[in-house]
Amino acid sequence: MHDKNLQYFLDIQSHQSELNSLRSFAEEHQVPIIDQLSLDLILQLIRIKKPMNILEIGCAIGYSSMHFASVCPSIHVTTIERNTEMITEAKRNFTNYGFDEQIRLIEGDALQAYEAVNDRQYDMIFIDAAKAQSQKFFELYQDLLTDGGMIITDNVLYHGFVADIDIVRSRNVKQMVKKVKKFNQWLVEQKAFTTNFVNMDDGLAISIKEYSND
Ligand code: SAM
């Protein structure tokens, strides 16, 4: 959904970088990657909050994880991916763009990867995998998040269907949209987090973990 304001912001910035050439690759090969302005916002949050360790659920070709790592050489990203073609492409990209030291790729289903990533705490978690599972990922990985850390979930508007579910005809899509909607409501109710929803691109939820008293 591109409105005029969004297009205007896209037009006034060049967004031309070596990494961004992968955006055309993704479009050509129909790989879903994060929208440009959502990425810009997350990169700005990374500059502000300076996370040392980032966990990403849903790597695809490594586009967002390389962008995160590119903010500062001391950032370490752990990213999880289950699709073998994506894994091959991501590995190639990490090597070609010089991110082998900064990014570790966990191959497998993120619902079963907890043991592979729980060797550290994360200051930021980015949830960008199967949209019907976002709440499961959140519940599974939230205890690996440091106090004051943030969990960012992409696609919480799901193509505009979440706010307008009656226009959805397909039963499967409707099921998925219902899950995203339920997740958003659940997020609001989490006492340990304060969530901010951003009406940009496909919708971002930025959830900050409260500091515990002990
Ligand atoms: N974050 C990437 C970016 O912006 O460059 C895009 C990720 S793409 C939207 C979602 C990816 O999550 C797909 O490559 C898909 O194979 C992967 N995925 C979906 N469900 C998953 C799961 N349960 N475990 C691991 N990967 C999963």
Side-chain angles (χ1 to χ4, degrees):
M1 268 201 312
H2 271 206
D3 67 18
K4 278 188 182 167
N5 295 334
L6 200 140
Q7 192 57 50
Y8 166 70
F9 283 139
L10 283 171
D11 290 345
I12 59 172
Q13 286 171 294
S14 84
H15 287 116
Q16 271 167 7
S17 67
E18 225 192 323
L19 274 183
N20 248 21
S21 59
L22 280 178
R23 188 168 281 284
S24 333
F25 174 92
E27 272 162 25
E28 222 172 278
H29 295 84
Q30 286 161 6
V31 178
I33 57 168
I34 186 158
D35 288 313
Q36 186 64 60
L37 293 181
S38 296
L39 175 66
D40 290 348
L41 176 61
I42 297 174
L43 295 180
Q44 197 75 320
L45 290 171
I46 292 175
R47 290 182 198 103
I48 296 167
K49 270 195 90 63
K50 302 185 172 39
M52 297 302 289
N53 283 298
I54 298 175
L55 174 64
E56 176 181 70
I57 323 281
C59 170
I61 59 172
Y63 175 78
S64 52
S65 52
M66 289 191 289
H67 268 287
F68 299 163
S70 73
V71 172
C72 175
S74 61
I75 291 175
H76 188 272
V77 183
T78 296
T79 181
I80 309 172
E81 178 56 54
R82 68 177 176 191
N83 177 300
T84 48
E85 283 171 39
M86 294 294 149
I87 289 168
T88 305
E89 205 56 46
K91 280 180 173 169
R92 196 193 344 254
N93 286 330
F94 295 156
T95 302
N96 288 350
Y97 288 92
F99 286 101
D100 281 330
E101 297 296 312
Q102 263 183 283
I103 303 178
R104 78 172 161 170
L105 176 59
I106 307 296
E107 300 176 28
D109 194 311
L111 289 174
Q112 272 132 38
Y114 184 86
E115 304 292 330
V117 305
N118 72 350
D119 59 338
R120 65 193 71 186
Q121 291 278 105
Y122 299 89
D123 321 288
M124 176 182 144
I125 298 176
F126 178 50
I127 300 178
D128 191 22
K131 304 306 160 189
Q133 315 267 19
S134 291
Q135 185 172 330
K136 283 195 180 156
F137 298 134
F138 196 111
E139 288 177 300
L140 181 60
Y141 291 109
Q142 61 177 321
D143 75 310
L144 297 182
L145 187 71
T146 50
D147 286 354
M150 61 184 165
I151 300 185
I152 302 178
T153 313
D154 196 13
N155 311 100
V156 294
L157 289 172
Y158 201 72
H159 310 301
F161 296 147
V162 174
D164 199 6
I165 196 162
D166 292 341
I167 64 168
V168 181
R169 290 279 154 261
S170 145
R171 222 168 139 238
N172 288 346
V173 177
K174 208 163 199 146
Q175 280 305 107
M176 151 106 75
V177 174
K178 277 186 184 164
K179 283 194 176 156
V180 177
K181 201 169 177 173
K182 207 162 148 243
F183 169 60
N184 291 341
Q185 186 57 44
W186 177 86
L187 271 183
V188 175
E189 289 157 11
Q190 296 313 295
K191 294 209 164 49
F193 287 85
T194 303
T195 293
N196 174 218
F197 294 100
V198 184
N199 179 12
M200 177 199 279
D201 298 326
D202 205 22
L204 282 180
I206 302 170
S207 309
I208 308 276
K209 190 176 182 180
E210 300 288 321
Y211 286 89
S212 63
N213 292 323
D214 46 61

